[in-house]
DNA sequence: TTAATAAATTAGGTTCGTCTAATTTATTTT
DNA sequence: AAAATAAATTAGACGAACCTAATTTATTAA
């Protein structure tokens, strides 16, 4: 089986590959994993030896199919455990990430699948992120940033791109809730401030930074 | 926080201390942890440095109060997760131990307590072992081995001393179930074979080895 | 009480995952 | 195209947790 460290590298490479491009740089990995660059170089060599990644000296790293399978498996675990923590144990959506970072490394496909079943085969985690199925297939989300909306546009709030507890707390406090409708009433030309109508006609004003971290569907 | 390895050492020392005596030998630890003796010596020195154990060269090791707290915390986690796996996810009692060995190392007192609450504050795990409370207090069990019973004695089946899957399977197959009444109908003088009456008048014959692994109460 | 046996420790290595400092390679800027 | 800067790698170390082989200490038997 793979070590926690390897799994965290794989997950990080997967996410950087999704977000930015095909090949991942040593420095970006060092940054997200909070280690120094030589540690990354070292680890990538070992992982290349295990055929989890293809590593080209000074050019960057990519996941192999095997590495991708492992990464998606960890993400599946992470998101299912987050659902468990929120739906069954009563945690808030801003409290579960760090616990899920531990729970995602429990090694048992059978447990993952039984948990999935116990939770009613959820399609998304508490932050709206899609949950890969047992075959490692992750549905491509067609959600789009609120910051791309024009005045009058509307949609359903289905996800966030900033997962920080402070942002999630701000959303709670301001009245945002996953699954609710949101309509753009106006966009201030000067600073791209958004005036939104939330569920129950409540109007709120949010900065561009916020609009740029909210995902809407339909 | 403590490493998984340290936690496993602490748990092993705790159990050996409970079972055998005050002081635990290097060789017994090596055996239950499945490592070689010099590794144990090494580790005990490091743990003594952290005040988790008191270690006397060539004499053996004992838990400090701090070490005992950690050990009991791990045991609490282990048993609560076993209850979760059986009660909520539908696992059988012979399938949960290895998973609990992983889950017991999730570091969060808050999670443990929320889990405890979610499970309805169970008093014992699926094998009848008592669950320490949030303060690390583990109720002293007054259960006694069936092998100490005489003809005509009866009690309630409340635990096992052999936790192996093969033994637990044997019990399932033979008709033993935790919480059921058991009455001794006869004991063969020649080889200490027990004839038992189980719930629903069912009679079964078991070896001394079996009678010596069953715990009965009242 | 000495000799034989068993248990424990020391000595010296290995792998994993990390570090700092020095060097090399790649990318920008002039 | 050369110089300056930034990114990545190499070299050399370290702690944790393990190992084998050799040695020491403790226990048991003669
Ligand atoms: Mn998360
Ligand atoms: Mn999430
Ligand atoms: Mn167990
Ligand atoms: Mn148990």
């Amino acid at each position: 089986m793979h070590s926690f460290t390897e799994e965290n590298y794989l997950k990080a490479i997967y996410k950087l590959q999704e977000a930015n491009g095909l090949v991942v740089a040593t420095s970006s990995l060092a940054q997200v994993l909070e280690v120094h660059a030589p540690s990354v170089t070292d680890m990538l060599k070992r992982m290349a030896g295990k055929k989890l990644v293809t590593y080209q000296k000074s050019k960057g790293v990519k996941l192999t199919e095997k590495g991708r399978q492992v990464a998606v498996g960890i993400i599946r675990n992470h998101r299912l455990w987050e659902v468990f923590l929120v739906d069954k144990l009563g945690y808030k959506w801003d409290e579960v990430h760090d616990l899920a970072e531990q729970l995602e490394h429990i090694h048992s496909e059978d447990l993952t699948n039984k948990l999935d079943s116990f939770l009613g085969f959820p399609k998304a985690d508490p932050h709206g992120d899609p949950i890969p199925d047992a075959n490692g297939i992750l549905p491509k989300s067609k959600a789009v940033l609120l910051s791309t909306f024009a005045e009058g546009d509307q949609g359903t709030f289905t996800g966030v791109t900033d997962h920080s507890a402070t942002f999630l707390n701000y959303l709670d406090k301001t009245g945002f809730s996953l699954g609710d409708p949101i309509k753009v009433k106006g966009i201030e030309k000067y600073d791209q401030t958004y005036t939104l109508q939330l569920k129950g006609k409540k109007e709120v004003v949010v900065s561009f930074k916020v609009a740029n971290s909210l995902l809407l569907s339909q």
Side-chain angles (χ1 to χ4, degrees), chain A:
Chain A
M1 216 29 53
H2 309 104
S3 69
F4 289 15
T5 306
E6 279 173 343
E7 292 180 351
N8 286 333
Y9 272 79
L10 291 171
K11 199 172 45 143
I13 297 167
Y14 178 86
K15 290 191 170 176
L16 288 167
Q17 234 174 264
E18 291 293 291
N20 305 331
L22 293 158
V23 86
V24 174
T26 302
S27 52
S28 1
L29 277 171
Q31 202 200 322
V32 328
L33 293 168
E34 299 182 275
V35 296
H36 291 230
S39 311
V40 174
T41 303
D42 230 43
M43 189 68 183
L44 293 182
K45 284 181 191 166
R46 276 195 297 275
M47 288 172 71
K50 295 179 182 177
K51 308 284 183 214
L52 292 167
V53 299
T54 56
Y55 166 64
Q56 289 201 284
K57 192 155 113 177
S58 289
K59 302 210 67 180
V61 74
K62 282 195 295 188
L63 293 181
T64 60
E65 179 51 28
K66 185 179 166 198
R68 200 200 126 273
Q69 287 287 343
V70 176
V72 173
I74 303 297
I75 290 169
R76 173 167 157 81
N77 284 347
H78 184 103
R79 295 182 180 169
L80 284 171
W81 280 114
E82 284 191 345
V83 173
F84 169 74
L85 293 171
V86 169
D87 285 8
K88 302 296 183 180
L89 296 195
Y91 276 97
K92 305 287 169 45
W93 70 341
D94 59 305
E95 300 172 324
V96 296
H97 182 75
D98 290 353
L99 279 171
E101 288 288 312
Q102 294 186 58
L103 288 159
E104 70 188 4
H105 300 291
I106 301 292
H107 290 128
S108 169
E109 259 192 59
D110 184 61
L111 171 58
T112 302
N113 294 333
K114 283 199 163 67
L115 183 64
D116 195 15
S117 162
F118 178 59
L119 298 172
F121 304 103
K123 290 279 161 290
D125 82 2
H127 314 101
D129 296 310
I131 297 175
D133 70 17
N135 303 311
I137 289 166
L138 202 153
K140 258 275 179 278
S141 157
K142 64 247 157 282
V144 68
L145 288 173
L146 175 59
S147 55
T148 66
F149 276 35
E151 284 188 21
D153 287 355
Q154 53 187 43
T156 306
F157 173 36
T158 54
V160 295
T161 57
D162 178 354
H163 292 72
S164 71
T166 49
F167 181 59
L168 299 175
N169 273 324
Y170 163 81
L171 294 179
D172 280 340
K173 188 182 67 189
T174 314
F176 289 89
S177 189
L178 225 55
D180 284 0
I182 294 181
K183 181 173 185 176
V184 178
K185 302 299 282 185
I187 304 175
E188 175 55 50
K189 291 280 141 46
Y190 173 61
D191 61 357
Q192 295 239 80
T193 295
Y194 284 66
T195 303
L196 306 174
Q197 187 178 71
L198 302 186
K199 196 177 169 186
K201 301 272 177 285
K202 186 188 179 194
E203 280 206 0
V204 298
V205 177
V206 304
S207 70
F208 177 77
K209 191 178 179 193
V210 167
N212 204 35
S213 300
L214 297 177
L215 289 164
L216 291 265
S217 294
Q218 291 199 7

